[in-house]
């Protein structure tokens, strides 16, 4: 089956949980989370939950564990993917991944390079599969979240979910 056939038979709507990781934002100031939710809903996907958690590894891990136990087929985290000492998202997500999608991070950094230049190398964005669910760890900036959703995640989200649902 070719790429077009895979897309034709892929789910059109899936449930997605959104986790914003930040020590400085409040729910009213979570523009990245707002953008992710708006883009998901505009594409016809359901938001199965949204939380804002502080950048503390045990708190992040607990929120991610709760999302993995919930009804979502995919989880999108934003924040904590840089190189600052408190940026621990890739380590937390990576420890849970059964299969990594290295192409996601590679493509994200390539697309980011065209927008922000060499600073794109500071991103440790990644994606993969844990417990049969898709996980995406994105930077915390609204522009980066929009780029990832519009160029990478949304065009393939249904296809990826369909592939995971195969026996």
């Amino acid at each position: 089956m070719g790429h077009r056939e895979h897309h034709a038979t892929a789910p059109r709507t899936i449930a997605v949980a959104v986790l914003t990781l930040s020590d400085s934002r409040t729910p009213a100031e979570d523009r990245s989370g707002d953008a992710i939710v708006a883009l998901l809903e505009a594409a016809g996907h359901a938001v199965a939950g949204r939380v804002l958690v502080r950048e503390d590894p045990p708190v992040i891990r607990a929120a991610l564990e709760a999302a993995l136990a919930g009804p979502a087929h995919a989880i999108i985290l934003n924040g904590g993917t840089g190189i600052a000492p408190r940026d621990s998202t890739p380590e937390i997500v990576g420890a849970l991944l059964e299969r990594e999608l290295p192409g996601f991070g590679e493509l994200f950094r390539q697309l980011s390079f065209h927008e922000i230049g060499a600073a794109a190398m500071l991103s440790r964005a990644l994606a993969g599969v844990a417990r049969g669910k898709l996980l995406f760890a994105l930077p915390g900036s609204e522009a980066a979240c929009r780029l990832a959703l519009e160029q990478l995640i949304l065009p393939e989200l249904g296809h990826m979910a369909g592939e995971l649902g195969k026996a």
Side-chain angles (χ1 to χ4, degrees):
M1 186 181 297
H3 183 73
R4 286 192 174 97
E5 290 84 10
H6 279 281
H7 276 266
T9 60
R12 297 283 174 235
T13 300
I14 69 165
V16 182
V18 178
L19 280 65
T20 296
L21 315 173
S22 177
D23 288 334
S24 59
R25 294 185 206 162
T26 66
E29 299 165 333
D30 182 16
R31 291 180 32 208
S32 297
D34 291 342
I36 293 168
V37 166
L39 289 166
L40 287 168
E41 290 176 341
H45 298 290
V47 176
R50 178 179 176 185
V51 296
L52 174 70
V53 298
R54 71 181 191 275
E55 288 192 68
D56 179 54
V59 175
I60 295 168
R61 176 74 185 233
L64 186 50
E65 290 284 350
L68 284 167
H73 299 100
I75 301 161
I76 300 174
L77 300 92
N78 73 91
T81 61
I83 62 169
R86 292 200 43 87
D87 290 336
S88 60
T89 303
E91 288 76 21
I92 295 164
V93 170
L96 294 171
L97 294 181
E98 296 149 7
R99 287 183 301 263
E100 187 174 350
L101 296 171
F104 175 83
E106 295 161 0
L107 287 169
F108 176 77
R109 283 179 284 280
Q110 179 185 26
L111 291 168
S112 294
F113 177 77
H114 294 293
E115 298 214 355
I116 65 170
M121 78 172 104
L122 300 175
S123 172
R124 298 186 303 139
L126 75 150
V129 178
R131 300 183 200 157
K133 298 182 182 205
L134 296 162
L135 294 183
F136 299 93
L138 310 179
S141 86
E142 180 183 355
C145 291
R146 286 184 181 282
L147 177 70
L149 269 284
E150 292 170 350
Q151 298 294 314
L152 299 171
I153 297 171
L154 290 175
E156 293 296 325
L157 190 56
H159 178 203
M160 289 188 284
E163 289 295 302
L164 284 177
K166 291 181 177 179

